[in-house]
Amino acid sequence: THLLKIGFSRKTGIFDKQLSNIIKSAFSLRIESDYEDFYVIAKADVENQVEETDIFYQAISEYLHENSG
């Protein structure tokens, strides 16, 4: 996660703060699901993660397209 924190830090200004929040949310869910004995996620939470993943993917794809040689 260190590289993610550097790349999505508000200090760099490369990416919108929303992307940092998406990463934090996904990572938090991952930690909970990996380390809890029994973890159930609500359908609405899954749908939200899918929507946020799409936003994240589109932003990163756009950045890579604009900044690739």
Side-chain angles (χ1 to χ4, degrees), residues 4-66:
L4 294 175
K5 288 179 184 176
I6 292 170
F8 294 99
S9 169
R10 286 178 278 175
K11 294 177 185 176
T12 65
I14 295 172
F15 297 108
D16 188 88
K17 182 180 176 182
Q18 178 187 19
L19 297 183
S20 176
N21 292 336
I22 289 171
I23 287 290
K24 289 176 188 175
S25 174
F27 186 71
S28 177
L29 285 174
R30 181 202 164 244
I31 293 297
E32 289 180 46
S33 66
D34 280 357
Y35 296 105
E36 293 291 325
D37 291 333
F38 188 75
Y39 184 77
V40 176
I41 188 168
K43 182 178 179 181
D45 291 336
V46 172
E47 290 169 344
N48 184 56
Q49 283 300 124
V50 169
E51 290 174 17
E52 288 185 341
T53 300
D54 187 50
I55 292 167
F56 183 85
Y57 176 80
Q58 293 300 323
I60 299 302
S61 294
E62 182 179 314
Y63 174 82
L64 292 174
H65 179 73
E66 292 174 357

